[in-house]
Amino acid sequence: MLALALKLGLAPVHFWLPEVLQGLELTTGLILSTWQKLAPFALMIQTAPTINSSLLVAIGLLSTLVGGWGGLNQTQLRKILAYSSIAHLGWMVLILQFAPSLTLLSLSLYIIMTSSAFLTLKTNNALTINTLATSWTKSPTLAALAALVLLSLGGLPPLSGFMPKWLILQELTKQGLPLSATLAAMTALLSLYFYLRLCYALTLTIYPNTLTATA
């Protein structure tokens, strides 16, 4: 289980993922964040019935917490997306043993949303929060699309990223784990905060003019 968690970048063996993703270009980072997750996740789904459910819930909750907390003080977009990946995979592992179909739904939506985020950032040529502020002047349509994708990744209703979180919380409550559901929902607020910060930089600010006025 820990070996598969290391491959997926789940907490507490997640330390390699933000640093590696930060050193990659956006296209390669996209492959690392999506395609590379499929093989270990397939193995994890097959071995989940034999794993202690308390261990899976603990790893899932820890990953959602680390993913939300770690992204708060980041300015590099690739590191923010890395912590986002850790948080999303934590949600999937949290529900893995109780409802594998929900895990597959979450994984599918995560791949779609993450691919959209990486591709829009690549089109905008944005690597830090500061460079996001110039995106609006280059292409307002693309900037608005990027904002929607980021809010969807954060799980803000009524966007599609909210649906798997809602269904997972509902299933956890049915399984008699209201405390785990509450903790997961609280950690989701941390992730939502840094996505809202990105959207603020993307859409609601004017890039500062540093040129000195000439007489």
Side-chain angles (χ1 to χ4, degrees), residues 1 3-5 7-8 36-51 56 96 104 107:
M1 177 62 198
L4 289 172
K7 286 286 288 179
L8 288 167
Q36 187 264 342
K37 309 285 186 192
L38 296 180
F41 223 100
L43 288 172
M44 188 174 281
I45 288 173
Q46 292 175 39
T47 56
T50 64
I51 300 171
L56 283 174
L96 180 57
L104 291 174
L107 182 62

Side-chain angles (χ1 to χ4, degrees), residues 148-161:
L148 282 174
V149 169
L150 290 170
L151 289 175
S152 187
L153 270 170
L156 193 71
L159 302 171
S160 55

Side-chain angles (χ1 to χ4, degrees), residues 4 26 34 54 81 84 93 118-119 123 128 145 164 166 173 191:
L4 289 172
L26 287 170
T34 54
S54 299
L81 288 170
S84 163
V93 171
F118 270 98
L119 292 173
T123 307
T128 64
L145 178 64
W166 181 31
T173 308
S191 300

Side-chain angles (χ1 to χ4, degrees), residues 3 13-14 18 34 61 72 107 109 116 121 139 143 146 178 208:
V13 284
H14 65 282
T34 54
L61 284 175
L72 289 179
L107 182 62
L109 283 171
S116 304
L121 292 178
S139 173

Side-chain angles (χ1 to χ4, degrees), residues 179-202:
L179 181 60
S180 299
T182 304
L183 290 173
M186 296 296 285
T187 58
L189 295 176
L190 295 172
S191 300
L192 184 59
Y193 172 77
F194 63 73
Y195 284 120
L196 286 171
R197 186 177 61 166
L198 291 180
C199 290
Y200 178 78
L202 189 64

